[in-house]
Amino acid sequence: MCGILGYVGPREAEPILVEGLRRLEYRGYDSAGVATLDGHKLHIRKKAGRVAELCEHLRERPSPGCLGISHTRWATHGGATDLNAHPHWAGEGDGQVAVVHNGVIENYAVLKRQLEAEGIIFRSQTDTEVIAQLIAYHLNGDLVEAVRKVLPMLKGTYGLAVISPRNPEWIVGARLGSPLVLGLGEGENFLASDPTALMGNTTKAVYLQDHQLCVLTADDWQIYDAQRSLVSANIQTIDWDIGDADKANFPHYMLKEIYEQPEAIENAMRGRLSDADSSAHFGGLNLDAQQLRRVERIIFTACGTSYHAALVGEYLIEEFARIPVEVEYASEFRYRNPPVDRNTIVIAITQSGETADTLAALRESKRKGHPTLAVCNVVGSTIAREADGGVYLHAGPEIGVASTKAFTSQVTVLTMLALYFGRMRHLSSLQGAKMISELRSLPDLVRKTLHCHDEVRRIAEKYSDVNNMLYMGRQYLYPVALEGALKLKEISYIHAEGYPAAEMKHGPIALVDEQTPSIFLMPRGPIFEKVMSNLEEVKARGGPVIAICSEGDDEIADYMAHKADDVIYVPDAPEYLQPIVTAIPLQLLAYHIALLRGCDVDKPRNLAKSVTVE
Ligand code: AGP
């Protein structure tokens, strides 16, 4: 998704804006640009391609001034060209306006025709240029008035930053459906699409809400609501330090985040396991025990990897809390019209807290009167703020587009929720204490699991040229089969599918041939033998087999030596913790196969870290 950073203060804006764009690269983009004001002179510099190409352009043509806005664009209207890159500008002299925008203006074509009928010539194919032209057209007084006049004309979503020589000390921001956050410095202020861009500049943040407009100067900031009233906003502290968003000594963010999982899981559990109650504690559910005891059904709604975490949550909560659970793709659930059941709560699972479909599903659930919770990683994100309550992952920024530590942290939180709900119902204190002890051993279990890295790298070399891959798991591990397939798909571009292992017989086994490896998730457990028979079916048809098995069992090792082409051993773990343990070799496998195929692991083609458009 598009990234935005604005700066106003005593320092030259260009280097600050470019550094911010580099921090936003992980969001996925195809062009970048900056606009700065040097006194009353507006400078625009923008290029298709990476931030590095924009920097090359800036070396030839610097963009002077201590106030500026910048943007990384993920194309929604019009291809990735210099002209379509943001900032978009319009007007003349001190009536010029420069705009950067995240979102989609659905009625841009109508507005564009109206402006063209007034003789205005457009330079680009974008919806955003319509905003710039409209503001310039209505810039009769000051910039805030012109923006206020235009916003009601726009249908769709926007996170905007606007500057003009008319008011050269101001950055004007406005938000509807696409996130904007103010960064408050000493004698300088920032405006960004997400807190990552603020790193290294400030940890004080104010999140703009829908229909709010803000005005930033070097020494001050105001936020207004739709009725033009000043809004008092609470200043939050971003609890990430600058090191979190760097690659440290890893070659890629994705590998760093795979290795951060033990610590991320520790952070997810920190302060939330209670020996006294043999249960879990959450400070932000904002639903009291009585409300939670009355819950008769839980609906999880999510997208992508978060949807797979939700599927694990379904098994966990039904097993430990005996509450019926449904898992819904947010993009489907938002349009469905299920009968409303008063004792149903809806839980949105999301790393970014900004996924448009998940946000829409949450809002639809609230409209129907359901209590809502969010399991989310980004503090202060839209979904986190709009849910009635929730649980933060505390996993730190996840920069790699392919989600890894967020997945295992989400499953950790869902395990604790299962314990929490279970101890309100059927779980004894002894059972709760046992789960707490097992959860406390999880970070070390994950550290031990990472020892499989060299073996996984060797296996990746064997299979990096395949065109198809099948992933099979049962029960708790069926969602992990889906997740492993998604990891491989999204960063190596190999076609991969996950299935419940027994489902092989109902069609997918027709895909099996010598060129199509199958990965079986088969750690020790009550259905190990069942999965073994599925493996045999694949072997009988000449399909290569990779097995993920529990270490320390001679019988399994002996069997696998004869049956599987490759085996990855992971530490033995309770069945309900095996999703976390088995996900790690699959993350590493996708990572190394993608590398061997020369793919951009952190910024895979066509993908964005947070899908804030529908
Ligand atoms: C996962 O690797 C993908 N990047 C993607 O499926 C992601 O999980 C999905 O877009 C949901 O994002 P969210 O968790 O931020 O809502």
Side-chain angles (χ1 to χ4, degrees):
M1 289 302 94
C2 306
I4 290 173
L5 179 64
Y7 170 78
V8 53
R11 297 186 282 162
E12 272 297 299
E14 185 195 301
I16 296 167
L17 298 176
V18 167
E19 177 54 27
L21 292 185
R22 288 191 195 286
R23 292 201 181 288
L24 291 170
E25 285 193 282
Y26 76 92
R27 295 166 62 98
Y29 69 104
D30 47 49
S31 60
V34 301
T36 55
L37 271 173
D38 185 15
H40 286 259
K41 179 100 177 70
L42 179 65
H43 302 271
I44 308 266
R45 306 282 187 273
K46 53 186 189 172
K47 290 293 279 181
R50 296 295 191 199
V51 170
E53 286 159 274
L54 173 66
C55 290
E56 195 52 47
H57 183 50
L58 287 165
R59 267 191 285 281
E60 293 155 17
R61 294 190 65 214
S63 193
C66 298
L67 180 149
I69 54 178
S70 61
H71 188 266
T72 51
R73 177 177 182 250
W74 191 73
T76 55
H77 293 74
T81 64
D82 294 359
L83 274 180
N84 287 338
H86 299 208
H88 287 283
W89 62 279
E92 291 168 5
D94 94 329
Q96 279 185 309
V97 169
V99 173
V100 292
H101 165 230
N102 189 6
V104 175
I105 302 303
E106 292 163 4
N107 63 331
Y108 86 98
V110 171
L111 295 170
K112 185 168 181 175
R113 278 197 297 275
Q114 289 167 355
L115 289 166
E116 286 173 329
E118 301 276 337
I120 287 170
I121 310 290
F122 280 78
R123 302 176 187 89
S124 78
Q125 305 156 296
T126 66
D127 55 341
T128 304
E129 188 185 352
V130 168
I131 303 173
Q133 295 287 0
L134 276 172
I135 296 172
Y137 185 81
H138 292 283
L139 188 54
N140 306 315
D142 69 30
L143 182 60
V144 170
E145 283 317 306
V147 172
R148 277 191 172 126
K149 189 156 190 171
V150 166
L151 294 181
M153 303 176 190
L154 307 177
K155 289 183 177 47
T157 58
Y158 53 77
L160 286 181
V162 190
I163 61 175
S164 167
R166 177 68 54 86
N167 302 96
E169 321 79 29
W170 293 358
I171 296 177
V172 178
R175 182 216 144 122
L176 180 61
S178 283
L180 275 182
V181 55
L182 281 67
L184 308 181
E186 300 299 324
E188 59 185 16
N189 286 313
F190 304 79
L191 182 64
S193 50
D194 85 41
T196 313
L198 302 177
M199 281 186 186
N201 290 305
T202 180
T203 59
K204 290 200 283 185
V206 173
Y207 289 85
L208 220 51
Q209 311 225 7
D210 279 350
H211 300 293
Q212 288 185 345
L213 175 146
C214 67
V215 185
L216 276 70
T217 62
D219 301 309
D220 200 1
W221 54 281
Q222 289 94 25
I223 296 177
Y224 299 91
D225 65 17
Q227 288 68 42
R228 305 183 172 211
S229 308
L230 262 178
V231 171
S232 64
N234 64 319
I235 299 174
Q236 304 201 30
T237 300
I238 306 169
D239 63 357
W240 298 341
D241 66 51
I242 188 73
D244 288 344
D246 287 327
K247 281 189 269 192
N249 57 353
F250 286 92
H252 300 98
Y253 285 112
M254 183 177 175
L255 191 59
K256 171 179 176 245
E257 287 149 12
I258 288 172
Y259 272 82
E260 284 177 335
Q261 291 182 106
E263 182 192 350
I265 289 167
E266 277 167 350
N267 291 338
M269 296 193 290
R270 198 179 307 286
R272 290 170 169 166
L273 295 176
S274 163
D275 293 312
D277 305 329
S278 302
S279 185
H281 275 184
F282 298 101
L285 294 184
N286 300 338
L287 298 170
D288 63 37
Q290 289 316 315
Q291 284 175 293
L292 292 166
R293 274 200 188 83
R294 280 200 299 271
V295 169
E296 292 171 6
R297 190 161 64 109
I298 293 174
I299 295 175
F300 285 130
T301 188
C303 302
T305 284
S306 298
Y307 174 82
H308 299 151
L311 287 173
V312 179
E314 176 179 19
Y315 284 97
L316 289 164
I317 288 186
E318 291 191 343
E319 167 90 16
F320 293 109
R322 314 303 299 150
I323 300 174
V325 174
E326 270 177 56
V327 182
E328 298 274 1
Y329 276 116
S331 54
E332 288 299 305
F333 187 55
R334 63 180 291 188
Y335 297 113
R336 270 192 53 205
N337 188 20
V340 175
D341 171 344
R342 284 286 153 243
N343 294 322
T344 295
I345 63 169
V346 176
I347 303 179
I349 316 268
T350 171
Q351 189 282 132
S352 63
E354 301 298 348
T355 300
D357 285 322
T358 309
L359 175 58
L362 180 87
R363 288 174 171 169
E364 179 64 11
S365 304
K366 291 181 71 170
R367 212 170 285 124
K368 297 285 180 65
H370 292 299
T372 57
L373 297 177
V375 173
C376 178
N377 192 34
V378 179
V379 173
S381 57
T382 305
I383 291 171
R385 281 184 290 106
E386 295 199 9
D388 297 318
V391 183
Y392 281 123
L393 301 183
H394 299 311
E398 186 177 68
I399 309 295
V401 167
S403 188
T404 50
K405 65 177 181 176
F407 173 73
T408 49
S409 298
Q410 286 166 343
V411 174
T412 301
V413 166
L414 292 170
T415 307
M416 292 191 288
L417 273 173
L419 169 61
Y420 179 74
F421 279 113
R423 285 284 292 127
M424 283 182 172
R425 291 168 165 79
H426 318 280
L427 276 186
S428 71
S429 59
L430 290 179
Q431 287 168 308
K434 181 171 182 291
M435 279 184 79
I436 287 176
S437 166
E438 288 163 346
L439 279 166
R440 286 204 171 110
S441 69
L442 184 56
D444 281 342
L445 212 51
V446 169
R447 284 186 188 93
K448 278 177 64 181
T449 304
L450 287 163
H451 294 162
C452 73
H453 193 165
D454 290 340
E455 180 59 11
V456 171
R457 194 199 326 255
R458 182 190 66 77
I459 291 170
E461 284 158 13
K462 218 171 139 181
Y463 296 102
S464 62
D465 293 333
V466 300
N467 295 315
N468 299 286
M469 189 89 89
L470 299 175
Y471 291 71
M472 252 71 73
R474 286 181 182 237
Q475 298 290 296
Y476 281 105
L477 301 182
Y478 160 49
V480 182
L482 297 176
E483 175 58 12
L486 175 61
K487 286 285 99 43
L488 188 71
K489 266 184 272 205
E490 67 176 326
I491 62 173
S492 75
Y493 318 143
I494 292 173
H495 173 247
E497 294 306 331
Y499 288 104
E503 197 55 24
M504 281 298 288
K505 304 185 290 295
H506 304 282
I509 201 160
L511 296 172
V512 169
D513 61 23
E514 291 78 12
Q515 282 74 44
T516 303
S518 297
I519 297 184
F520 284 91
L521 301 170
M522 45 196 305
R524 189 196 328 280
I527 47 173
F528 175 82
E529 284 72 19
K530 300 279 188 195
V531 183
M532 224 194 307
S533 60
N534 299 138
L535 182 151
E536 301 264 6
E537 288 156 12
V538 168
K539 280 304 289 176
R541 288 157 180 82
V545 165
I546 302 167
I548 312 276
C549 295
S550 299
E551 65 193 25
D553 184 315
D554 294 342
E555 188 185 336
I556 289 178
D558 181 47
Y559 171 81
M560 286 301 159
H562 293 91
K563 289 296 178 185
D565 297 275
D566 295 280
V567 187
I568 299 169
Y569 287 101
V570 295
D572 197 16
E575 197 185 349
Y576 71 95
L577 295 180
Q578 286 174 353
I580 291 173
V581 170
T582 54
I584 288 157
L586 302 187
Q587 295 166 350
L588 289 167
L589 184 66
Y591 171 78
H592 283 291
I593 288 178
L595 275 192
L596 288 164
R597 293 168 71 96
C599 298
D600 185 339
V601 170
D602 284 331
K603 299 191 282 293
R605 71 184 182 196
N606 307 339
L607 292 182
K609 181 60 183 173
S610 175
V611 184
T612 57
V613 292
E614 296 180 17

